[in-house]
Amino acid sequence: MKYALITGGSRGIGRAIAIKLAKQGYAVVINYLNNDEAAKHTLEQIVAEGGQAELLRFDVGQPEAIEQAVEEWQQRHPDEYIDVLVNNAGIRRDNLMVFMQNEEWNSVLQTSLNAFFHLTRRLLKDMLTHRHGRIVNISSVSGLKGMAGQVNYSAAKAALIGATKALAQEVAARKVTVNAVAPGFIESDMTGDLDQGELKKLVPMKRFGKAEEVAALVAFLASDEAAYITGETIAITGGL
């Protein structure tokens, strides 16, 4: 059985990825932080459709919590390892930089960037030992072009792209691929407070993307068909 861990997997893009990977035959490990109801609903849907899933609650922004959660999972699965890691968890704390508070900067980088480092490092050894692994980092169009009011978010997501390129070179010989996906405006909880009417005018396709469309791309990058793709950042933005 191959296991896939999706951080922030209870809602939005993470939820769609979890459901898609379960349909691809992975036993899905759904990480979440607070929303027990949403996490349970995602798990129940996967199971109802014939898939396998389990919940793993921990704060990706806390290195100690990551260590404890992974250790407990490995104790329950002594003969298994996480074959696919999707670093999806992220938060927004938008503000103009001149007004941005330390907490707004630190919390975004802690969740969107530092979590990638701590969790990926913890799971990487097993992938290298087994000579197979897929790491997919969910970046953002903000990390590609920058967005006003998102200096913190753009910095974290751009750094994630750089880390993707560097790590891909370190682990390619062991058949571990590392890629990034950079969504644009996607219908999800994270974009619920945005003015879709105005923002759609910026998108050549004149619509927001769907979480399922992002999930399809992630599932491809996690598959054997994508074995020769690594170090890449693929934008999914409707032409933005």
Side-chain angles (χ1 to χ4, degrees), residues 71-97:
E71 178 66 25
E72 291 175 354
W73 186 89
Q74 290 176 334
Q75 289 176 2
R76 296 196 300 272
H77 303 272
D79 299 322
E80 308 290 349
Y81 78 106
I82 302 294
D83 183 66
V84 174
L85 170 61
V86 182
N87 289 299
N88 167 73
I91 60 172
R92 283 175 41 219
R93 295 288 185 269
D94 294 356
N95 206 345
L96 296 176
M97 185 170 176

Side-chain angles (χ1 to χ4, degrees), residues 7 13 19 42 46 64 76-77 135 145 159 185 188 235:
T7 65
I13 291 174
I19 292 170
T42 301
I46 291 172
E64 298 82 5
R76 296 196 300 272
H77 303 272
I135 299 167
K145 67 184 295 292
F185 297 119
S188 70

Side-chain angles (χ1 to χ4, degrees), residues 81 83-84 127 131-135 174-178:
Y81 78 106
D83 183 66
V84 174
M127 294 184 187
R131 300 183 70 89
H132 191 277
R134 298 284 186 267
I135 299 167
R174 287 277 177 167
K175 299 182 180 179
V176 177
T177 66
V178 190

Side-chain angles (χ1 to χ4, degrees), residues 93-173:
R93 295 288 185 269
D94 294 356
N95 206 345
L96 296 176
M97 185 170 176
V98 68
F99 301 121
M100 187 170 289
Q101 302 299 305
N102 291 350
E103 188 278 333
E104 292 173 324
W105 172 268
N106 292 330
S107 63
V108 169
L109 265 71
Q110 187 71 13
T111 302
S112 298
L113 179 61
N114 293 348
F116 151 80
F117 169 72
H118 291 292
L119 182 55
T120 305
R121 183 181 63 175
R122 183 63 176 78
L123 298 178
L124 192 57
K125 183 177 179 180
D126 281 339
M127 294 184 187
L128 297 174
T129 299
H130 288 85
R131 300 183 70 89
H132 191 277
R134 298 284 186 267
I135 299 167
V136 183
N137 300 316
I138 306 301
S139 181
S140 169
V141 67
S142 292
L144 292 173
K145 67 184 295 292
M147 298 288 283
Q150 291 190 336
V151 172
N152 48 2
Y153 191 70
S154 294
K157 294 301 187 179
L160 194 57
I161 291 172
T164 296
K165 294 177 180 179
L167 181 59
Q169 296 180 48
E170 294 182 5
V171 301

Side-chain angles (χ1 to χ4, degrees), residues 43-61:
L43 183 145
E44 289 175 345
Q45 179 174 342
I46 291 172
V47 172
E49 295 177 356
Q52 296 189 43
E54 61 185 290
L55 302 180
L56 193 62
R57 180 177 181 175
F58 64 91
D59 185 351
V60 298

